[in-house]
Each structure stands twice: as structure tokens, then as C-alpha cells.
Amino acid sequence: MTDFAVHTIEDAPEKSKSMLESSKKAYGTVPNLHAVMAESPALLEAYKTVSNIFDKQTNLTATEQQIIAMTNNRLNGCTYCMAAHTSIMQGAKVAEDVITALRDGTPIADPKLEALRVFAEKVNVKRGLLDVGDIEAFLAAGYTKQTVFDVIVGTAYKVLSNYTNHVAETPLDKMFAKNEWSAEPHPA
């Protein structure tokens, strides 16, 4: 495997330094994902921009955003993002049964949230080639046409991080280690 640097603010490419400084200010440290992405200022800026758009420009709740993110993380087999987003959900006080369902790929008890999980899964698995019935079922669950597109934004956001972590084998930060995840089935 090719070794990719986990950059510090000091050794990062010049165009990435200020973005890493803003990460450190926001998180108290530079997450390894950002430190790896710093190799490409374009990637780091794209990721931070799309993440900010997903957070601020959608009408989704924090729980709904995490359902989209975690569904993509699981389907893409991203161990780093599964651990990181589990920690994020815990900090946001997302219900434990929702977190467990997302980590295990099992149905969420709340029917509307489950419709979102299923739709996000279909967008990922079908690569956006949805059937009319997929969209109609999602709309019938109480979501809007805007949300259809917001799920695509969330999927794009996760492609940036999930694929980066696969290519670079990003080491898991200590702050996420307690939520380590494996794509292997969990014992019953």
C-alpha cells in the first residue's frame, strides 16, 4: 500500500494550512481524516465545503443527516467514518436505538426515519438510478423533493471521505477509538 501522510499544520501544503487551523479550532485537534486530505487542498476544501453545505443548507435534522451519512459509511465499508460518526451522534444525543440500527444495518423503529435510511441506501446502491416507486415511497413517508436532492448531497459528502479513507487507510483518531467498527457481522 502507498503511504499517505497524516499532515500537521506545519508540514501540510501551504494551501491546506489555514483549513487545518480551522479544523483544529473547531475540534480541538486536527482529525486524521482532515490531516490526510490536506495532501490535496482541493480535496480538503471540497470535503469541508460540502460538509458545511450539508449541515447548513438542508432542512434535515442532525439525526436525519447522520442517518444519511451512516448509511453511506456502512454501505461503503468505511471503518473510520463509522467510528467518527458514531461519536458525533453520541455527542448530538441521537437515540441509542437509532445509532445501533445504523451501525448494524437494521431497520430503525421510527417509520419516517426508516424511510430515510432505506432511501439513502437505495441512492447509494442504485447509484442514483432510482425507480419512480423509490421516490414516491420516500415522498409518501413525509419527505419532500428537496430532501431527495439533499440525500444526494449527503451521499456525495460521504464519497469524499469514505473513498479517501479507503485509499489512504486513514488511522483512527483516539477520540473515536471507543466506537471502532468492523464490516464483519456482530455476534448476537
Side-chain angles (χ1 to χ4, degrees):
M1 185 69 179
T2 303
D3 286 333
F4 286 88
V6 179
H7 287 286
T8 64
I9 294 169
E10 294 75 28
D11 74 9
E14 196 60 41
K15 289 183 178 180
S16 292
K17 288 182 180 190
S18 66
M19 291 183 281
L20 291 182
E21 287 169 355
S22 73
S23 294
K24 185 173 183 177
K25 185 176 179 182
Y27 301 103
T29 186
V30 176
N32 287 341
L33 173 62
H34 298 192
V36 168
M37 287 180 160
E39 185 72 29
S40 167
L43 174 62
L44 183 57
E45 184 173 356
Y47 175 77
K48 289 172 83 73
T49 300
V50 175
S51 173
N52 188 50
I53 290 167
F54 186 59
D55 183 43
K56 306 247 187 293
Q57 298 298 325
T58 69
N59 291 329
L60 301 166
T61 66
T63 297
E64 289 169 327
Q65 289 172 356
Q66 291 305 316
I67 289 169
I68 296 164
M70 286 289 282
T71 299
N72 280 280
N73 294 337
R74 184 184 54 77
L75 290 171
N76 294 336
C78 186
T79 57
Y80 181 97
C81 286
M82 286 295 287
H85 281 269
T86 298
S87 298
I88 291 166
M89 288 188 300
Q90 290 165 339
K93 307 292 186 222
V94 173
E96 191 59 42
D97 65 311
V98 173
I99 295 171
T100 300
L102 292 168
R103 285 176 62 91
D104 294 345
T106 58
I108 298 170
D110 179 292
K112 185 174 182 185
L113 296 179
E114 174 60 7
L116 177 59
R117 186 193 69 79
V118 168
F119 187 72
E121 187 170 282
K122 287 181 179 185
V123 168
N124 178 300
V125 171
K126 293 183 175 186
R127 306 294 185 253
L129 299 170
L130 302 170
D131 300 322
V132 172
D134 297 332
I135 297 169
E136 294 302 323
F138 185 60
L139 296 174
Y143 288 102
T144 66
K145 291 177 183 175
Q146 176 186 337
T147 313
V148 169
F149 292 126
D150 290 344
V151 171
I152 295 169
V153 173
T155 301
Y157 152 63
K158 294 318 305 173
V159 164
L160 290 167
S161 60
N162 295 167
Y163 289 15
T164 297
N165 290 322
H166 292 322
V167 168
E169 295 182 351
T170 308
L172 189 60
D173 301 81
K174 288 179 186 175
M175 65 185 163
F176 305 137
K178 69 179 181 180
N179 292 311
E180 192 170 1
W181 178 86
S182 167
E184 301 300 317
H186 300 283

